Every structure is written in C-alpha cells, then in structure tokens.
Amino acid sequence: MLICYCIVLFLASINHQKRTSVDRMQIRIYLSLRLTGVLLVFFLLFQNSAKGQEMFGVTLGNYSGVNGIIINPATMTNSKNYLDINVFSADFFMFNNAYYLPSADVSIYDIMKPGFEFPTYGEKQQNLLYYKNQKPKQATVNIRMQGPGAMYQYGKHAFGLTTSFRYFTSGNNIAWEMPIFGYESLSYEPLQNTAFNDYSIDIATSAWFQLGLSYAYNIYNYMDQSISVGATISKLWGYAGIYGEVDNVDYIVLDDSTINIKNLDGKAGYAVPVDYNNNDLINDPLFRGSGLGVDIGVLYVKKKFVGTQRWKHASQQQFEDYVYRAGFSIIDIGRVNYKNNAQLIDYDNVSAFWQNFDTISYDNVNQVVQEISDVFYGDPNASYAGNSFKIGLPTAVSLQFDYHYSKNIYFGAIWIQPVRLNQHTLRRPAQLAIIPRYETKMMEISVPISLYNYRYPRIGLAFRYSFFTIGTERLGTYLAISDLNGLDIYFSFKISFGKGTYKFKSHNKCYNNEYGYSDKEKANFKKK
C-alpha cells in the first residue's frame, strides 16, 4: 500500500533544487525510464522495499484448515480439524532479478540492526549492484495479511469465511537495459548510441481488501475413495491500482539529455489516493474500485481404511486417514474495476526526438502526464483515454499431491502455473515444489524444495508448534548464503479444534467402522 503512495508522490515531487544524493538517484531512475511512461518507475522503487509466495508450510498440511482455502477450497473436507479459527496470518514475498546486495556484504540480520547503513559501490556510491547480463527482468511483490476467519466442517459439508488485505505487484519481460539506465543514468556511455527495440513489457500493481465465503461438499464417498468439490466467492474492494503495458518501444539514447524515440506503443492506467492537481492525499471515497474473485477446486482421497462414521456432534467426527490425496484448483479468477479517481493514458505508435530531456520540471502528476503527451502528440490532453480500467487477479491453475509415507511422515508436491484471463492482469510466478514434512497434532516441520519460475531453485523451512506457524521458502536468505535480491517469510496464529475430541459411544456391540458395507463390497478392499 505504501508503494502505491510512493509511485505517485515520487512522480509529482521531484524538482531540481536542493537535491540529496538519494533524490538524485531517484531522478536518474525516473528520467531513464520515462520513455516508456510512468508504468516502469515503480519497478525501480520497489526493489528497495524488500519487505512467502504460497505459504507451503501453512496451506498443504492436515492441520492447514482455514489457510488451506488459499490454495484449494475443497481441502476443507479433509482436515484434522473440524473447526479452525484464524486470528492473524501474514505472507511477505519479494523477488527481482535486476538488482541485488552481495551476501558477503549484507545479510538480512544486518538490515535489522539499529543504525545500519547500506554499503556503497562505485564512484557514484550506489547502494545496490545490478546483474550484468542481457536477460529480461522480472519482479514480484506479494503481501497477504489474513484477518479473522474460520473453517467449519459438519459431515459432508464444510464452510469457510476469510478476510484479508492483499498487495500484489508484478513486472514481466522488462528490457535488460532499462534497469542499467536507471542505475547508471543516461550518461552511461556503453549504452549510448545503441538501438534498442523492446516488446511486450507489462507491469501491474494492485492493493485490495477481500472478504471470501467458501463452501465444500463431499460428493462421493464409497469404500476407500472420496471426492470433494469446493469454491470460494470473494468480494473485492480496490484501494489503489496501477498498470502499464508497452507493446513496442524503439529508441536510441544519444547523450545524457537527448533520446530519439522512433516508436512507442503502450498504455498506462492509475487510480491512487492522491489529488493529481496538487498531490494531496485523499481518502474519499476510501476505495477506488471493486470486483469479484472466485476460487474453485476438487480433491480426490484414497483412504487407508473403509469406514462409516457415526457421530452426533461435530467434535465426534473422525479424520479418515489416507494413502494419498490429489487436488486440482483454479485460484484468483476475477478482477478489480477501478473507476474512482482513475485515469487511462494511451500512446498509439508515437515518436519524438526529445532534447533537453534532463531539464524538465513539474509540480504534480497531471503536469507530468500532460508534458509527456505534449512531447509525443503536440497536445497536453491527447494521451488521455478514459477514466476507468480493470486489473485482473493473479490467476493460476494448481495441482496438489500428498502421500502418507508412514505414521508421521508425508511427502507433498505442488505445481502452480499462471494463466492470463484479463487484458491487464497481475502475473503470479510459476512454481514447482516437493514438500517433505513431519506432522503431529502439536508440531509440524516441513522443508519445501521448489523451483521458482522454472529457473531458480530454493529450499525453505516451516515450523508449527500448536497454534503458531512460521516459515520461509528462501532459507538461503536467512543463512546468509544467497545474495539479497528478495525476501520471503510467513507466519500464522490460529485456534484449532481437532476431530475426535469426544468419542461416539454405541450400545450396539456389533458396531464397527465397516458397518453398512456388504461382505462382497468389503472383499474388494484389503485393509492396510
């Protein structure tokens, strides 16, 4: 949320008087990326905000309960808790492959120390280094704060209520030279007088509040097999959103004050709590958009035992242990429609020979937008394209698998693949992970081993003791063996009520777990 403020305030507050060294760095970043519009600025801002991704340690276990709804709402019918109450959970994730701090110079623990000062590099005394390669750059910031919520299972039915604040930023296919210009400034001679022709850059950021209602139903339960389906419908209230897309930008930086932009084809939209005429913060209305979100899922369970439960109270329900279970889900289907204090700008295959690029000045957001429009169109209002836009949620399909190896040992696996259902959308990174874990009622330890974006291997660690869970999917960050180019940490406080708290007592001496099945049916199944 603070990043949303920073983006617009930064665009509107730079002047050319009484600069600090940090201010000058920000100016260089802004000027170097301005040729693609305001959409690229925040990418270079949030790389300083290293404040996990899918919380594998709290979403996949048998005690995940209400948190399991995040990845697959159908899992509510296969939990060891019949009632699970979330007090507060949080997930902070950040990753980029443009900038970093070497692990030999800085650790995450150093940053936490009072009075810490970042190291400096080079003649310009920069606080970061950049990766010296020509690979496209990606970046993701994912913050999820889960407020009060609960999950309740009653027989074949399960119900859930979740509340959360979510902030998500994604940048994809960002041209490799742009972060270098941002770091070195336009005066960086090795990149001057070089023709750059970049395509398909997209960046989006959105902050919203979410209220979700979930329901799951066990549609098939016969012998040792069970199938459940579930869904979550969420009401979304958008606090702030920004998106930008560059279909093509063809340009040459001639010197530190001149850019020859041969072609620029792109769009940008923004709706933030700022008065664009004077930069005052505004919160009326509090939300600048609204929308709906949907998650759907299915879960198949291969049980260890055949059993027909008999119970009168929810606490008497028994957890039916499994050999393995497999799930499929589609999560975060939907979008937020921003239409309050929203502006949409469009540059449709425009060009400009932009001289004195480094001498511009402005006092507010509208001046910035109008000046850029005047450069490309000769008209300060020609780039204006509307007062509403939509940003899609970070939609993904997911497969989950969990194998019960022995009494307390499990081996889980998960695959998450982003899909694009909206024109302007947040993009969730792809992930592939295996998750061995040790699990008891009081304690759980899991070690997620994942491949982020099918390229970056990571090892994590999550630990649960009773009502509290803490974990990370980037253990190397905390062991100071990985360069600091991101951060991942999550935790959860919950109150849980386990199944089988009170045993069902039957006066029928012939009663057993297999009551209700014929001898022929039971002959087809071998107990383990």
Side-chain angles (χ1 to χ4, degrees):
M1 184 165 57
L2 292 176
I3 298 174
C4 294
Y5 280 115
C6 292
I7 295 168
V8 175
L9 291 177
F10 172 69
L11 289 174
S13 63
I14 298 176
N15 55 56
H16 295 281
Q17 300 174 355
K18 298 181 180 180
R19 303 290 188 192
T20 65
S21 60
V22 175
D23 291 332
R24 289 194 295 271
M25 173 61 181
Q26 290 176 329
I27 294 170
R28 290 195 296 271
I29 292 173
Y30 171 66
L31 293 178
S32 65
L33 297 181
R34 195 167 181 184
L35 56 92
T36 60
V38 297
L39 60 155
L40 295 181
V41 176
F42 82 85
F43 169 70
L44 298 174
L45 290 176
F46 74 64
Q47 50 89 13
N48 288 322
S49 65
K51 289 275 186 221
Q53 179 60 24
E54 304 299 341
M55 298 193 293
F56 293 145
V58 300
T59 57
L60 296 180
N62 290 311
Y63 294 93
S64 60
V66 63
N67 287 329
I69 297 173
I70 295 173
I71 203 69
N72 187 340
T75 60
M76 292 190 295
T77 62
N78 192 237
S79 172
K80 287 190 175 182
N81 298 320
Y82 75 92
L83 176 61
D84 197 56
I85 301 172
N86 184 71
V87 179
F88 183 75
S89 301
D91 177 18
F92 300 92
F93 174 87
M94 181 267 176
F95 172 83
N96 87 106
N97 64 348
Y99 301 100
Y100 72 100
L101 285 167
S103 59
D105 297 341
V106 180
S107 72
I108 189 67
Y109 307 106
D110 294 330
I111 296 176
M112 296 178 184
K113 294 177 181 178
F116 168 77
E117 293 185 5
F118 281 90
T120 57
Y121 303 94
E123 295 180 358
K124 297 180 181 180
Q125 299 292 291
Q126 308 285 33
N127 295 126
L128 296 166
L129 294 174
Y130 59 85
Y131 292 105
K132 296 181 179 180
N133 57 55
Q134 297 186 11
K135 297 179 180 179
K137 305 307 175 187
Q138 288 83 35
T140 303
V141 176
N142 182 13
I143 299 174
R144 181 195 292 260
M145 298 183 183
Q146 295 278 118
M151 179 225 81
Y152 177 72
Q153 182 184 355
Y154 190 82
K156 294 184 176 182
H157 306 271
F159 309 87
L161 171 68
T162 54
T163 60
S164 60
F165 166 78
R166 298 179 63 183
Y167 171 83
F168 202 105
T169 290
S170 62
N172 297 276
N173 202 40
I174 298 170
W176 64 271
E177 79 277 0
M178 291 182 179
I180 298 178
F181 274 130
Y183 187 95
E184 301 284 1
S185 81
L186 297 184
S187 62
Y188 188 57
E189 293 184 0
L191 295 185
Q192 289 181 353
N193 296 298
T194 301
F196 295 104
N197 196 3
D198 303 319
Y199 292 89
S200 303
I201 302 170
D202 72 86
I203 295 177
T205 185
S206 188
W208 70 96
F209 293 87
Q210 183 168 320
L211 173 64
L213 295 176
S214 303
Y215 174 71
Y217 179 67
N218 184 213
I219 61 173
Y220 179 82
N221 192 359
Y222 180 72
M223 297 293 285
D224 61 331
Q225 300 182 76
S226 174
I227 300 175
S228 298
V229 295
T232 299
I233 298 178
S234 300
K235 175 62 178 177
L236 313 175
W237 292 272
Y239 182 75
I242 299 175
Y243 91 90
E245 295 172 350
V246 176
D247 296 323
N248 170 241
V249 57
D250 183 358
Y251 69 100
I252 299 176
V253 176
L254 300 177
D255 53 50
D256 61 358
S257 62
T258 307
I259 301 178
N260 182 10
I261 304 174
K262 298 180 180 180
N263 184 72
L264 172 61
D265 185 12
K267 300 178 178 66
Y270 50 93
V272 293
V274 171
D275 187 324
Y276 304 138
N277 292 313
N278 55 30
N279 296 343
D280 290 341
L281 299 180
I282 56 174
N283 278 304
D284 185 21
L286 179 61
F287 302 112
R288 271 141 288 283
S290 62
L292 289 176
V294 176
D295 304 333
I296 57 175
V298 60
L299 182 70
Y300 171 81
V301 180
K302 177 71 171 179
K303 294 183 287 186
K304 280 192 172 183
F305 304 103
V306 173
T308 299
Q309 297 184 18
R310 288 190 173 189
W311 48 273
K312 293 182 178 180
H313 306 288
S315 60
Q316 295 172 336
Q317 298 174 93
Q318 299 296 313
F319 175 74
E320 296 183 319
D321 204 357
Y322 56 90
V323 179
Y324 65 87
R325 62 185 179 190
F328 171 79
S329 59
I330 307 176
I331 51 179
D332 280 333
I333 305 168
R335 61 191 182 184
V336 178
N337 183 11
Y338 287 100
K339 54 186 178 181
N340 293 318
N341 201 38
Q343 292 193 23
L344 182 65
I345 55 179
D346 187 1
Y347 298 98
D348 186 10
N349 292 306
V350 294
S351 61
F353 189 83
W354 200 339
Q355 294 179 300
N356 300 320
F357 186 81
D358 59 337
T359 61
I360 59 174
S361 62
Y362 48 86
D363 297 317
N364 56 60
V365 174
N366 280 340
Q367 281 188 8
V368 177
V369 174
Q370 290 170 0
E371 182 173 340
I372 297 175
S373 178
D374 191 49
V375 168
F376 285 108
Y377 289 106
D379 181 346
N381 298 312
S383 65
Y384 179 80
N387 59 4
S388 68
F389 60 90
K390 301 177 178 67
I391 297 181
L393 299 181
T395 311
V397 296
S398 174
L399 292 174
Q400 313 96 39
F401 182 81
D402 198 35
Y403 174 66
H404 191 176
Y405 176 74
S406 64
K407 182 179 179 181
N408 300 118
I409 305 297
Y410 298 80
F411 290 95
I414 187 168
W415 173 62
I416 298 172
Q417 173 62 38
V419 294
R420 190 170 187 173
L421 300 181
N422 296 275
Q423 183 180 2
H424 318 302
T425 190
L426 304 165
R427 296 204 189 187
R428 185 189 303 258
Q431 292 194 84
L432 184 64
I434 57 173
I435 309 154
R437 74 180 187 278
Y438 173 84
E439 179 185 280
T440 67
K441 181 178 180 180
M442 287 299 296
M443 185 179 71
E444 182 175 336
I445 300 174
S446 61
V447 184
I449 303 169
S450 59
L451 193 62
Y452 180 84
N453 260 342
Y454 304 129
R455 183 180 304 171
Y456 304 102
R458 305 183 305 179
I459 297 178
L461 179 66
F463 176 75
R464 173 180 62 83
Y465 183 78
S466 186
F467 59 87
F468 176 68
T469 302
I470 186 169
T472 179
E473 291 159 29
R474 287 182 49 136
L475 189 58
T477 301
Y478 300 93
L479 297 179
I481 60 176
S482 299
D483 291 336
L484 196 59
N485 63 355
L487 185 69
D488 180 272
I489 189 169
Y490 54 85
F491 60 86
S492 175
F493 292 91
K494 296 196 309 173
I495 301 172
S496 302
F497 298 87
K499 293 178 179 178
T501 306
Y502 298 99
K503 303 298 182 180
F504 176 75
K505 296 181 179 179
S506 173
H507 298 291
N508 184 353
K509 295 181 180 181
C510 297
Y511 170 76
N512 60 68
N513 283 338
E514 296 177 3
Y515 179 83
Y517 291 107
S518 69
D519 292 338
K520 182 178 180 181
E521 288 173 323
K522 288 184 287 185
N524 294 325
F525 177 78
K526 294 182 179 180
K527 271 193 174 183
K528 295 187 177 182

